[in-house]
Amino acid sequence: MLRGLYSAASGMFSLERRQEALSNNLANAQTPGFKKDDTVMRAFPKLLIERIQDFNENIPGAAELSIPGQNVRIGELTNGVYAQERIPSFAQGTLVQSDLPLDVAIEDQNIPLQVVNGRTVKPTAFFAVQLPDGTVGYTRNGKWDLDANGNVVTSEGYRVLGADHKPIQITGSIQKEDLTINAEGQLIAKTNDPTKTTNLGQIGIAIAQNPYDLTRKGTNVYTSENPLVFMQDNAGTNPGVSLHQGFVEQSNVDLGQTMTDMMSTVRAYEANQKVVGAYNTSLEQLYSVGKING
């Protein structure tokens, strides 16, 4: 009798985790470069139910002996569901023009598909940033600015790394309005004055051949056990990545679909809640049977 109660409870726990992921997606719908999480829900392994020794057959002429009956198959038993994991979606977000000189968006839809461990995956390009602990993180957030020391930093304050794996620093009297970033990520200052044009370096672009191996750290930054290879390492060729100055990549969260999924999750949670309530009422009635009233 309690099997249904356990199944309903597992459904409530799983739906609660799914709602948390949807709420986080909705909260970051306006975060530049944010990638939504999809919650994978799976059923617990099914069990096969049988009646053991359903009956005994007496042996003629030997009443004291009997043959155990055969097992009788009843059917399968399911034990509810569980939220196995959150899988990020690395689909390209919409590019929105901002006309700010240090807003940069990645477009990597032209990267060819790769086969990793027998599975076809879409490699993803990231900006490389230096985290506070000195490690390297990867983000799609291209909304940048200059700090007090002239370092190019993200909106979270992480320093952006160049193709040489070092933080990009703008020195001298160069202002961010003087910067031009081409599709290859080259930083060029004062392009309107040919006599003062200066190449300040190149933005480092890290390529994750299998982005699902990355670990989300915080809202908008990922880390990898093994450092990702930069597009510019070893004189590598561009695999199909282009940068757009003056554009910001929006999150890939679909607001309408997310709201619909949240309402569906709430209704499913309420349905499981009613099942738990029905079992609770049945157990109360069972407890009251035979109870001696004082």
Side-chain angles (χ1 to χ4, degrees):
M1 179 178 179
L2 293 179
R3 291 169 181 163
L5 180 63
Y6 297 148
S7 296
S10 70
M12 292 174 68
F13 288 133
S14 301
L15 291 168
E16 184 177 354
R17 292 193 61 186
R18 183 169 188 258
Q19 190 76 339
E20 289 175 355
L22 291 170
S23 300
N24 185 61
N25 292 342
L26 188 63
N28 289 281
Q30 301 301 321
T31 301
F34 177 80
K35 302 302 178 185
K36 67 175 182 178
D37 281 330
D38 295 323
T39 304
V40 178
M41 300 181 69
R42 300 186 184 276
F44 286 106
K46 295 181 179 180
L47 302 177
L48 183 63
I49 305 177
E50 293 181 341
R51 288 203 303 265
I52 300 176
Q53 296 182 357
D54 191 57
F55 62 90
N56 292 331
E57 181 180 355
N58 293 327
I59 300 176
E64 69 279 2
L65 299 177
S66 63
I67 302 175
Q70 299 297 317
N71 297 344
V72 178
R73 179 173 296 182
I74 297 176
E76 294 181 343
L77 172 66
T78 58
N79 292 302
V81 298
Y82 64 100
Q84 184 183 32
E85 58 184 336
R86 294 182 183 180
I87 299 179
S89 169
F90 292 99
Q92 176 82 49
T94 304
L95 304 188
V96 177
Q97 189 170 1
S98 65
D99 292 327
L100 296 177
L102 282 181
D103 281 358
V104 187
I106 294 178
E107 184 178 3
D108 61 355
Q109 299 183 67
N110 294 325
I111 298 181
L113 299 177
Q114 302 285 339
V115 177
V116 179
N117 297 327
R119 176 185 178 188
T120 302
V121 296
K122 174 69 167 60
T124 305
F126 294 90
F127 298 116
V129 295
Q130 188 178 64
L131 302 179
D133 59 0
T135 59
V136 178
Y138 307 97
T139 182
R140 296 279 292 205
N141 183 4
K143 194 166 187 62
W144 302 339
D145 205 343
L146 297 179
D147 64 9
N149 297 319
N151 295 304
V152 179
V153 294
T154 66
S155 54
E156 293 92 353
Y158 304 138
R159 292 192 289 182
V160 180
L161 300 181
D164 58 356
H165 296 254
K166 297 179 181 179
I168 300 174
Q169 188 174 32
I170 309 300
T171 58
S173 59
I174 299 175
Q175 303 297 318
K176 58 185 178 181
E177 292 77 12
D178 301 328
L179 299 175
T180 297
I181 302 173
N182 62 18
E184 298 293 329
Q186 294 285 347
L187 278 162
I188 303 171
K190 300 184 183 299
T191 55
N192 293 330
D193 186 350
T195 62
K196 297 181 180 180
T197 298
T198 305
N199 191 333
L200 302 176
Q202 190 174 12
I203 298 170
I205 303 296
I207 306 296
Q209 298 298 327
N210 185 5
Y212 300 104
D213 287 338
L214 301 178
T215 302
R216 189 188 290 274
K217 182 175 183 179
T219 301
N220 215 12
V221 176
Y222 299 87
T223 57
S224 175
E225 290 186 3
N226 300 314
L228 299 182
V229 176
F230 280 21
M231 185 179 69
Q232 301 89 349
D233 289 346
N234 302 321
T237 58
N238 190 327
V241 181
S242 60
L243 302 186
H244 298 271
Q245 184 184 22
F247 286 81
V248 173
E249 181 187 6
Q250 291 186 322
S251 71
N252 60 358
V253 177
D254 187 330
L255 291 176
Q257 185 63 49
T258 302
M259 293 295 295
T260 301
D261 291 342
M262 292 181 72
M263 289 187 289
S264 300
T265 302
V266 169
R267 293 193 183 100
Y269 187 91
E270 291 174 347
N272 282 277
Q273 199 173 31
K274 290 179 181 179
V275 173
V276 173
Y279 271 98
N280 184 57
T281 301
S282 299
L283 291 174
E284 288 180 352
Q285 293 176 353
L286 179 64
Y287 176 73
S288 63
V289 172
K291 183 178 180 181
I292 301 177
N293 295 323

